[in-house]
Amino acid sequence: MRWSTNTLTTSVSALLDEHARVQEELSDPAVHADAGRAKKLTRRYAELDKVAAAARHFAQLEADHAAAVELADDADFAAEAKRLSAEMETAEGELKDLLVPSDPDDSRDAIIEIKAGEGGDESALFAGDLLRMYQRWIDARGWSSQILDATHSDLGGYKDVSMAVKAKNDGAYGWVKFEGGVHRVQRVPVTESQGRIHTSAAGVLVFPEVDEPEEVQLDEHDLRIDVYRSSGPGGQSVNTTDSAVRITHLPTGITASCQNEKSQLQNKDAAMRMLRARILAKQAEEAAAEAADIRRSQVRTVDRSERIRTYNFPENRITDHRTGYKAYNLDQVLAGDLDPVIGSCRDADKAARLDALGD
């Protein structure tokens, strides 16, 4: 897609103005008294600084190209003008990529929840496979993860499991948000005695994590906190004390629970992290609905027909149904090679945002 010069100039100018404003705000010591606001501004400044650098580079190429064109009667300058024209096209493309409006939550850390769906024990085993796939991918990227809560199944899988993901220099949510939806698996289950291929599914939900507790204000009077005894696979008791915690936000009915830690206080803290993330996600969905601009949705049910991706073991095939991505390296994907798969979603999302900006 080719943008008009006016569209490009207007978009760049607006972001450079914002860059100057954010820089001025960050120079105010009072801003840094609010850790959450300072963190947001610092992230935004880093994004805008890339735009400013790319804009300066493009402007310099434009000036150099114009000067070379004026002297194009000379063969050397004519060749230089041709070279600079190609560089300008590349630089313009890079600048346009940076101009794509980003999701404000992309720079946040994330919480991934995996839930077994149709398929019984096989679905729970697949949920465990997905968890290990994400953990290997996270490790390969140099990120970190933490299991917040887990309910095991009898055969070693997970009925549901929640994991926090923290990136180093890049927002985790901007990557893992594309994992939200139903993941379908086709393979011979360990419980199948006659070698027949079965299809089952597991659901993945992804939430941006709240930077600071104050970002989502929760009145204690709006919370119901229940404690109960933790349990392991098959309902077997893990603790002899009521250390598991379930928190319900009464105004919205949103709940979060945690039994992974031995301490009731630690479980409460983890449950509060998940509760805030879910409330933040709900607020974002409501705001998007009011603006009639819902760009994506995560499947809330774990139905085999509502799938985003299929993992076919007999053919060693991975297919993403949103982008048409297909590869015959499922074993490598499960070992953590997820970048190409998620990259196809990021590329498609970026293209859609570019088209919208061009329009």
Side-chain angles (χ1 to χ4, degrees), residues 40-57:
K40 285 182 181 179
L41 287 172
T42 300
R43 283 176 175 171
R44 184 57 178 159
Y45 182 76
E47 293 174 358
L48 294 170
D49 210 36
K50 294 177 183 177
V51 176
R56 287 194 298 268
H57 178 56

Side-chain angles (χ1 to χ4, degrees), residues 315-318 325 327-334 337 340-341:
E315 297 181 18
N316 198 35
R317 185 183 75 237
I318 179 83
Y325 178 91
Y328 292 85
N329 64 339
L330 176 58
D331 53 341
Q332 295 175 38
V333 172
L334 292 173
D337 187 15
V341 189

